[in-house]
């Protein structure tokens, strides 16, 4: 459930009419609903209520906006980070360092050092050499790094190839059949406290069966490691739960997921870590856009909007579906294409879509844009970097400015050899 709904025929974000935001901030603009974020955070946490020990680390790659992180920090969420920059954001938003998990296949020495310095709670090691380097840096600093080994369970998550991570040809984690040996060698190193295993098989998952299969393999590995004399007190189950981009396609609920986890992890006697991203923020955000033209097409009309692939990359990158709705629908419908102004045919949000009739100057939204939306935006075609707004009841605030081309140009330099 989200708080983007029609009141008196016009679309609101909580109690704020979309048109008021367009008026004040312009378009395109991302709009987040605080109430929706809080609701999703609570629903996910309640779904895990039956588990004895757990820690939820929001995958901030899905939405690293400081205000979004602040809302989630207040809900008791930590962060799953994949870069030094994400660490800075998590800390700046007030998340305790101990609640931060550092994932990612390419952490640099500088990032590992900075994370140790900050005292983050867990490193998810992706390869043996990384573990050895982490141990060496930690020992040199007189510290011990709490860590888990990310294991690739070789399970097909059944999602888009670009967001699958748990098959053996993927770059993530160590192969499950090599995990025992790597664990054995790494846990002998001073500077490292290897406490368990992590896995994450992919994103936008609609089927719990591959997740359950992966968790089963992780449970079996945990048993082997314990039998070999290792203490295992943490298992990180990753993220991945899908969201309904299309209303007719409904993913498993957090409650379904929680029930599966309870079943799959019964008797494990560990603290379970979770790294949800999309399920928390996806439906808590929309992208508000204005129609520039309705261009008669040869086959069907093109609705040209002022948002483009640089603002919301998912349709161009993954052929992703984002629902489009007029802010003030007339009730009439039309089959049309929706595209942005960028000079690529890939800058198309929808083809042959049955949508509300819109005309030049009308406002519309792309739904479910709170995850992997603004954070994947660029300034391609020298467009401004899209701003972000958060709504709270009848108030709203700009939580990330529109960065104008002049500011971007100002960060560029002409070298001496090109001057005059
Ligand atoms: N943990 C790890 C280690 C991850 O790699 C990811 C996502 C997550 C957690 C969070 O997954 P989620 O709960 O959000 O599914 N840009 C793509 C999605 C990339 C996901 C990358 N990893 C998209 O727009 O669909």
């Amino acid at each position: 459930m989200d708080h983007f709904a029609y009141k008196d025929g016009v679309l609101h974000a909580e109690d704020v009419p979309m048109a008021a935001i367009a008026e004040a901030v312009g378009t395109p603009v991302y709009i987040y609903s605080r109430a929706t974020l809080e609701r999703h955070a609570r629903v996910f946490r309640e779904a895990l209520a039956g588990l004895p020990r757990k820690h939820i680390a929001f995958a901030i790659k899905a939405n690293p906006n400081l205000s979004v992180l602040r809302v989630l920090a207040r809900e008791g969420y930590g962060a799953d980070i994949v870069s030094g920059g994400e660490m800075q954001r998590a800390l700046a938003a007030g998340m305790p360092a101990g609640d931060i998990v550092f994932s990612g296949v390419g952490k640099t020495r500088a990032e590992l050092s900075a994370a140790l310095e900050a005292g983050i709670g867990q490193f998810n090691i992706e390869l043996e050499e990384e573990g050895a380097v982490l141990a060496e840096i930690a020992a040199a600093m007189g510290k011990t790094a709490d860590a888990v080994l990310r294991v690739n369970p070789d399970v097909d998550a059944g999602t888009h190839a670009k967001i699958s991570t748990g098959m053996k040809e993927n770059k993530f984690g160590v192969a499950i059949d090599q995990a025992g040996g790597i664990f054995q060698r790494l846990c002998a190193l001073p500077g490292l406290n290897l406490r368990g295993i992590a896995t994450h098989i992919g994103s936008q998952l609609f089927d719990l069966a591959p997740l359950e299969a992966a968790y089963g393999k992780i449970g079996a590995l945990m048993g082997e490691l314990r039998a070999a004399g290792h203490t295992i007190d943490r298992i990180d189950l990753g993220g991945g739960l899908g969201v309904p981009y299309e209303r007719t396609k409904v993913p498993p609920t957090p409650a379904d997921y929680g029930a599966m986890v309870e079943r799959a992890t019964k008797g494990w006697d560990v603290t379970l870590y979770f790294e949800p991203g999309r399920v928390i923020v996806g439906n808590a955000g929309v992208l508000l856009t204005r129609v520039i033209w309705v261009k008669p097409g040869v086959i069907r009309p093109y609705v040209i909007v002022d948002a483009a692939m640089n603002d919301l990359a998912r349709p161009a990158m993954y052929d992703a579906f984002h629902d489009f709705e007029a802010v003030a629908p007339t009730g009439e419908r039309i089959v049309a294409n929706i595209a942005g102004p960028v000079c690529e045919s890939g800058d198309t949000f929808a083809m042959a879509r049955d949508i509300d009739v819109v005309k030049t100057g009308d406002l519309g939204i792309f739904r479910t844009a709170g995850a992997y939306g603004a954070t994947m935006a660029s300034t391609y075609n020298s467009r401004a970097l899209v701003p972000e707004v958060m709504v709270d009841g009848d108030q709203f605030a700009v939580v990330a400015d529109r960065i104008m081309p002049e500011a971007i140009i100002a960060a560029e330099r002409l070298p001496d050899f090109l001057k005059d």
Side-chain angles (χ1 to χ4, degrees):
M1 203 211 103
D2 62 60
H3 293 262
F4 300 102
Y6 291 91
K7 295 179 188 171
D8 298 326
V10 296
L11 195 59
H12 284 61
E14 301 191 15
D15 299 326
V16 179
M18 292 285 175
I21 298 172
E23 175 80 13
V25 187
T27 52
V29 55
Y30 278 93
I31 301 173
Y32 308 130
S33 151
R34 176 181 181 176
T36 310
L37 280 171
E38 289 174 344
R39 187 187 133 76
H40 290 179
R42 288 170 195 166
V43 165
F44 191 81
R45 195 178 48 225
E46 280 158 21
L48 305 178
L51 300 167
R53 301 198 308 279
K54 66 243 159 195
H55 174 65
I56 309 176
F58 170 61
I60 74 176
K61 61 173 80 72
N63 191 321
N65 180 280
L66 281 187
S67 301
V68 169
L69 299 186
R70 173 62 63 90
V71 169
L72 296 177
R74 288 192 178 173
E75 289 296 323
Y77 276 50
D80 169 46
I81 61 165
V82 291
S83 69
E86 287 194 348
M87 183 176 82
Q88 289 174 29
R89 284 179 172 276
L91 295 173
M95 288 170 164
D99 288 351
I100 299 177
V101 171
F102 198 170
S103 303
V105 71
K107 307 178 200 78
T108 64
R109 281 176 171 264
E111 286 174 325
L112 292 172
S113 299
L116 281 164
E117 198 61 63
I120 69 142
Q122 177 173 298
F123 292 84
N124 290 9
I125 296 171
E126 295 260 359
L127 68 162
E128 184 167 359
E129 196 180 350
E130 181 196 2
V133 167
L134 175 63
E136 175 202 312
I137 300 173
M141 292 168 83
K143 296 189 183 236
T144 305
D146 283 312
V148 297
L149 182 63
R150 178 163 177 186
V151 171
N152 185 323
D154 194 22
V155 167
D156 183 350
T159 186
H160 192 285
K162 287 187 183 166
I163 53 175
S164 282
T165 52
M167 281 182 283
K168 61 172 180 275
E169 67 267 32
N170 295 136
K171 65 181 173 179
F172 299 100
V174 302
I176 192 155
D177 52 354
Q178 293 170 17
I182 295 174
F183 200 98
Q184 176 75 35
R185 291 190 290 279
L186 285 180
C187 76
L189 300 177
L192 205 58
N193 182 13
L194 203 50
R195 309 177 62 147
I197 321 165
T199 199
H200 171 78
I201 63 168
S203 194
Q204 183 57 8
L205 307 184
F206 258 58
D207 184 2
L208 293 178
L211 270 176
E212 189 162 3
Y215 296 171
K217 288 185 170 194
I218 294 301
L221 175 62
M222 178 184 73
E224 288 166 26
L225 292 171
R226 282 182 171 159
H230 300 296
T231 303
I232 304 292
D233 68 356
R234 287 186 189 175
I235 301 284
D236 185 332
L237 297 177
L241 205 55
V243 299
Y245 287 98
E246 292 178 69
R247 282 163 199 225
T248 51
K249 295 187 184 161
V250 182
T253 63
D256 297 335
Y257 174 73
M260 181 278 279
V261 171
E262 262 184 64
R263 190 167 66 234
T265 65
K266 215 172 187 56
W268 280 16
D269 191 24
V270 293
T271 301
L272 291 172
Y273 277 55
F274 297 89
E275 302 171 353
R278 193 187 315 261
V279 71
I280 307 296
V281 289
N283 274 320
V286 300
L287 175 60
L288 179 64
T289 186
R290 199 179 283 283
V291 176
I292 304 178
W293 316 108
V294 179
K295 179 180 174 182
V298 175
I299 300 172
R300 63 187 83 82
Y302 268 95
V303 175
I304 309 287
V305 294
D306 66 1
M309 64 188 285
N310 69 298
D311 305 304
L312 177 62
R314 304 192 68 261
M317 277 187 81
Y318 318 110
D319 295 318
F321 182 102
H322 286 265
D323 221 352
F324 178 82
E325 283 170 30
V327 162
T330 60
E332 288 171 281
R333 308 282 295 178
I334 188 173
V335 175
N337 308 326
I338 311 172
V342 161
C343 293
E344 294 197 27
S345 295
D347 182 25
T348 300
F349 292 106
M351 290 297 279
R353 182 88 65 84
D354 178 9
I355 58 167
D356 294 321
V357 166
V358 283
K359 58 181 189 321
T360 297
D362 284 356
L363 293 168
I365 59 157
F366 292 105
R367 279 193 180 264
T368 320
Y372 308 107
T375 187
M376 289 175 65
S378 75
T379 59
Y380 184 42
N381 275 206
S382 290
R383 291 165 51 84
L385 194 62
V386 62
E388 296 161 89
V389 159
M390 185 176 284
V391 173
D392 181 11
D394 60 2
Q395 313 175 54
F396 68 92
V398 175
V399 293
D401 288 344
R402 189 184 309 280
I403 303 195
M404 299 302 283
E406 39 279 32
I408 295 161
I409 294 166
E412 295 182 21
R413 303 278 173 268
L414 281 177
D416 285 346
F417 56 80
L418 288 180
K419 286 192 178 144
D420 67 51

